[in-house]
Amino acid sequence: MVDTPSHAGSSVSFDTDLIVIGGGPAGCAAARMAASVGMRSVVIEPDRLCRNLYRIPALNNALGGYSSGGELADAMTAELRATELCRLELGRRVVELRADDDRVAVALDDGTRLMAPYAVVATGVGPLQPGDVPWVTAPTGLVLPPLWEAEADVAEGRTLLVLGGDRPIGTFLRAHPNLDVRLLVAYPEPDAYKVEEVRGDPRVVPVPVRQLTLRRGAGGTVAAEVTDSSGDRHDLVADAAYLSLGNTPTAPPGDLVRGPDGYCPPAAQHPRVIVAGDLRSARYQRIMTALGSGSEAALRAYYAARELPADG
């Protein structure tokens, strides 16, 4: 058990100085920064550290000369595992987060409870599914993989229907510049700007739609009936369907303030709960901003625990 300086006179005993919920780039950066100023942390992650980084085949928005998310993830994971002041709780999920005047408490799915003066919440986002957007009609409960999970040898020589025009399409194409693939990219008219990055790639066929109805095709293919902006209907057939619809926040249950879009704006949270990484906003979902916000979150907890102003 540890007591931070600001609680030396209280009867509260803590399991650590900082609870970090989420083991992605922001969470790892928070734990590493905490260790650099002498704070102990516990990182809680239901999967492997930096799990989504391993699925990024080409990297162009991080320093260090890393060419893929996997390379960066390996480096971050190795460094964090070597950090003596950080304890990892992998394979565990937070099922409740509670913030009080003098502590933060979390309950894990195995019944464990942890307390600390502060918590960094960096659980990030997960992919939107067809049932989450109004312009797609799909069978109830249909779950599709995101495009960045498509293996090159599986995609070779095939036609893929991609729902949505978000940025991972460009990442996929840059990672496989010689891949013989045809992407039918379906998107609503308001999202036309998202497709500009890939519109010039000859492997991309932009398909603006008003409504799309997804169904199974013959012989294991995927079929879709598309209604365009003029109201005309036509059919699409592809070998498989993937997602590039964007993301939805994956915040844990409990004392987090969520905005209308589901994200957790940092300024609205309890003073002992610090939000970092992609969970903050859809506008800054980049690796570099996640690393910076995680580091800043740990320093904020460090200064607050010592009753020091964070700005000086």
Side-chain angles (χ1 to χ4, degrees):
M1 303 289 185
V2 295
D3 287 306
T4 60
S6 62
H7 292 274
S10 79
S11 59
V12 179
S13 293
F14 298 114
D15 299 289
T16 187
D17 297 312
L18 185 67
I19 296 172
V20 180
I21 306 173
C28 289
R32 188 66 189 88
M33 179 60 75
S36 74
V37 293
M39 295 178 72
R40 297 179 181 272
S41 66
V42 175
V43 176
I44 304 164
E45 166 57 48
D47 204 314
R48 66 193 296 194
L49 291 175
C50 297
R51 66 188 186 281
N52 286 338
L53 273 184
Y54 284 103
R55 297 165 179 164
I56 299 177
L59 200 60
N60 67 349
N61 66 346
L63 297 174
Y66 301 103
S67 61
S68 72
E71 291 181 10
L72 176 58
D74 283 342
M76 291 179 61
T77 298
E79 185 168 342
L80 196 61
R81 288 186 179 277
T83 302
E84 295 182 358
L85 292 178
C86 174
R87 188 177 106 214
L88 299 177
E89 287 285 347
L90 303 182
R92 297 283 179 263
R93 187 180 302 275
V94 172
V95 296
E96 185 179 45
L97 167 68
R98 294 299 173 203
D100 294 317
D101 290 342
D102 59 352
R103 75 194 78 179
V104 175
V106 301
L108 307 188
D109 53 3
D110 65 349
T112 301
R113 297 188 66 86
L114 298 172
M115 281 200 306
Y118 295 90
V120 171
V121 184
T123 49
V125 295
L128 287 166
Q129 289 294 329
D132 297 325
V133 294
W135 58 273
V136 176
T137 302
T140 302
L142 176 68
V143 175
L144 295 176
L147 180 62
W148 42 260
E149 286 189 5
E151 298 289 343
D153 56 348
V154 175
E156 178 70 29
R158 306 180 81 198
T159 296
L160 307 181
L161 173 61
V162 182
L163 302 182
D166 270 30
R167 191 171 181 271
I169 298 176
T171 302
F172 176 80
L173 293 171
R174 286 191 298 272
H176 308 292
N178 300 315
L179 183 66
D180 178 19
V181 67
R182 184 168 178 251
L183 302 183
L184 307 178
V185 180
Y187 59 92
E189 289 286 0
D191 289 351
Y193 72 96
K194 295 182 179 181
V195 187
E196 290 305 314
E197 179 185 358
V198 297
R199 194 180 294 277
D201 193 302
R203 296 170 292 178
V204 173
V205 179
V207 184
V209 305
R210 178 188 296 175
Q211 191 70 33
L212 181 147
T213 300
L214 197 63
R215 61 181 185 273
R216 293 189 180 276
T221 60
V222 174
E225 182 184 79
V226 170
T227 303
D228 62 25
S229 58
S230 63
D232 294 333
R233 297 182 180 182
H234 60 276
D235 291 329
L236 297 176
V237 178
D239 296 300
Y242 289 88
L243 299 173
S244 192
L245 291 169
N247 299 302
T248 185
T250 58
D255 293 338
L256 277 169
V257 178
R258 295 161 174 80
D261 56 1
Y263 287 89
C264 301
Q269 307 306 318
H270 189 283
R272 295 191 178 277
V273 176
I274 308 166
V275 176
D278 292 353
L279 193 61
R280 298 172 300 160
S281 166
R283 292 182 176 271
Y284 298 101
Q285 292 181 3
R286 297 290 187 271
I287 293 168
M288 288 298 288
T289 56
L291 292 169
S293 73
S295 300
E296 183 179 346
L299 286 178
R300 177 177 158 189
Y302 172 76
Y303 291 131
R306 285 151 181 78
E307 298 181 348
L308 298 172
D311 60 353

